[in-house]
Amino acid sequence: MTSAPETTRASRPAPEARHGGWTTPLLLWLASRVVSTVLLATVYGVATANGWPFASVRRDPSFFTFSGSWDASFYRIIAEHGYPTTLPLDDAGHVVPNAWAFLPVFPTIVRAVMPLTGGSFWVAGVLVATLAGAGACVLLYRLVLAVGCSHRARWATALFAFGPTGFLLQVAYAESTFLLLLFGALLALVRRRYWLIAPLGLVAAFTKPGVLALAVALAVHLVARWVAERRTLPVRDAVAIVVSGLVVAAAGLAWPVIASAVTGRPNAYLDTELSWWVGFVGRQHFAPLTPWFTMARTWLGPFGIVLVVAVLAGAVWFWTRRSVRALGVDVWAFTAAYGLYLVAVFLPQQSLPRLLMPTAPLLGSDVFVGTRRRAVAWLVVGVCLQPVAVVLLWFLGYP
């Protein structure tokens, strides 16, 4: 008897997915929340007792407001008051940081939950983020399981949840909600449930920037199927891929248009984003693929340019490794496109580790989990770096 076609096997859940697709990642998530909560509570208690100044100014300090540090105050503004119709300006007429830099899905969900928490944005924000973090762990596990095996899925989920940025799965920020939607869309792509990608990608596009990489992954997937199936790709699948890709791409480009329409100011979103750059590189005009070089040149001079070139060369080497490509064209295309997106538009600073979280499916590669010893070593490194990240980001700067 011949073996089942590869496409049939890929679309049929493995035994591990049926029996451990929920319990295993949820247990890992639960254990990681114990670690992160104890860590955050300890740092909060020590800082409060010793009067340490926090990176974020908070009123009515509590553990929940501590868990809603950094720019979460803008999510609170959106949840309670919506977006400003006029952009705030400084004395020179330049746009200053404002709520238009943050997308509406997370604060909208939090606003719906706030009546259940006595009207507290901070408690509702932590609750939503924590539950979304649980879902993100489940979907990451299932995604790596779909392209690998249960061993890789378990370790990848553990490295994700216990890693240096693992505490972000429970703070009042949009990261975990975005990851939940994004991992769901990638899993749908791997399982060829194309029509499911459109709504997930649409909502993700209004949660955080970055879904254009998903549209690129859909395009690469279409080409790969066309080539592999010798142009016998079913029309219904081709239509579903193209439509979903166009929906995701349009949604990913929509927010700047909306910001300009509501405020009546051209480039409202871009000017808002650039207002955060001023403290790092001064006032700049945006040009794609230049932010990393601008940051490096400002702080390190010619050596910085050399460093960026070396980092980019290392990234190309990493993504062309056989162990990374073994995760499949869908994961490879998305993570590579997302990395290119960060290089194209993002000014690298202390937010970079947070913004790299969507590349978590790469944790299922041999680079991280090829052997048990290697996986354990990465896990120990991640757990040890998590308190370092908390101290740095809560007391020295924004993430």
Side-chain angles (χ1 to χ4, degrees):
M1 180 180 296
T2 59
S3 59
E6 187 65 28
T7 56
T8 303
R9 292 202 306 268
S11 62
R12 188 176 299 160
E16 295 94 335
R18 292 195 298 269
H19 301 296
W22 290 92
T23 56
T24 298
L26 285 177
L27 287 173
L28 289 170
W29 166 80
L30 182 61
S32 68
R33 289 318 90 203
V34 171
V35 171
S36 292
T37 302
V38 169
L39 170 63
L40 290 170
T42 300
V43 173
Y44 169 72
V46 171
T48 301
N50 290 278
W52 294 356
F54 297 104
S56 303
V57 177
R58 288 173 310 283
R59 300 172 183 172
D60 185 26
S62 69
F63 178 70
F64 286 101
T65 56
F66 177 77
S67 299
S69 293
W70 319 317
D71 292 328
S73 59
F74 287 104
Y75 286 122
R76 182 185 184 183
I77 291 172
I78 298 166
E80 296 180 350
H81 307 291
Y83 291 90
T85 56
T86 302
L87 293 183
L89 307 176
D90 62 15
D91 293 338
H94 299 298
V95 175
V96 297
N98 64 86
W100 280 105
F102 303 90
L103 284 86
V105 167
F106 176 71
T108 299
I109 296 173
V110 173
R111 181 171 58 204
V113 175
M114 283 171 60
L116 305 177
T117 62
S120 170
F121 166 84
W122 308 110
V123 176
V126 170
L127 177 61
V128 170
T130 303
L131 293 178
C137 286
V138 170
L139 291 175
L140 176 64
Y141 178 90
R142 287 173 171 257
L143 174 61
V144 178
L145 183 62
V147 299
C149 62
S150 59
H151 162 80
R152 294 180 184 276
R154 284 194 300 270
W155 277 112
T157 306
L159 295 180
F160 171 69
F162 286 94
T165 56
F167 60 89
L168 283 166
L169 298 178
Q170 67 184 75
V171 300
Y173 234 54
E175 247 63 32
S176 58
T177 305
F178 181 62
L179 294 169
L180 170 68
L181 296 163
L182 190 60
F183 294 160
L186 285 173
L187 180 60
L189 177 59
V190 169
R191 291 182 173 176
R192 300 186 177 182
R193 298 175 181 176
Y194 302 121
W195 290 114
L196 185 57
I197 299 171
L200 290 173
L202 176 63
V203 179
F206 291 95
T207 306
K208 283 192 68 67
V211 296
L212 290 178
L214 180 61
V216 173
L218 279 161
V220 173
H221 177 92
L222 177 61
V223 172
R225 278 202 66 181
W226 183 276
V227 172
E229 298 176 21
R230 294 179 175 83
R231 302 186 181 182
T232 60
L233 175 66
V235 173
R236 63 180 182 276
D237 283 0
V239 170
I241 296 169
V242 170
V243 171
S244 292
L246 291 175
V247 168
V248 172
L253 296 171
W255 190 244
V257 178
I258 294 171
S260 296
V262 173
T263 63
R265 181 185 178 110
N267 297 322
Y269 176 72
L270 179 60
D271 291 343
T272 296
E273 287 288 353
L274 290 176
S275 69
W276 262 273
W277 290 24
V278 174
F280 296 99
V281 294
R283 210 159 289 283
Q284 297 283 336
H285 294 288
F286 174 76
L289 298 173
T290 63
W292 286 51
F293 293 98
T294 300
M295 184 72 165
R297 184 180 64 251
T298 300
W299 289 91
L300 299 174
F303 173 74
I305 303 299
V306 175
L307 180 61
V308 170
V309 172
V311 169
L312 296 180
V316 172
W317 171 80
F318 175 82
W319 262 284
T320 54
R321 294 188 60 163
R322 179 180 299 177
S323 60
V324 173
R325 290 185 285 111
L327 291 172
V329 66
D330 301 325
V331 169
W332 179 87
F334 169 77
T335 55
Y338 184 79
L340 180 60
Y341 157 78
L342 291 181
V343 173
V345 305
F346 175 68
L347 188 74
Q349 21 84 9
Q350 55 264 49
S351 292
L352 184 58
R354 170 173 63 87
L355 295 180
L356 284 171
M357 292 180 77
T359 64
L362 295 173
L363 295 172
S365 71
D366 282 346
V367 176
F368 300 99
V369 298
T371 65
R372 181 180 178 85
R373 178 178 296 181
R374 184 180 303 171
V376 170
W378 280 113
L379 182 63
V380 171
V381 168
V383 172
C384 291
L385 285 179
Q386 192 171 154
V388 175
V390 170
V391 171
L392 289 176
L393 297 177
W394 256 272
F395 303 104
L396 295 179
Y398 300 96

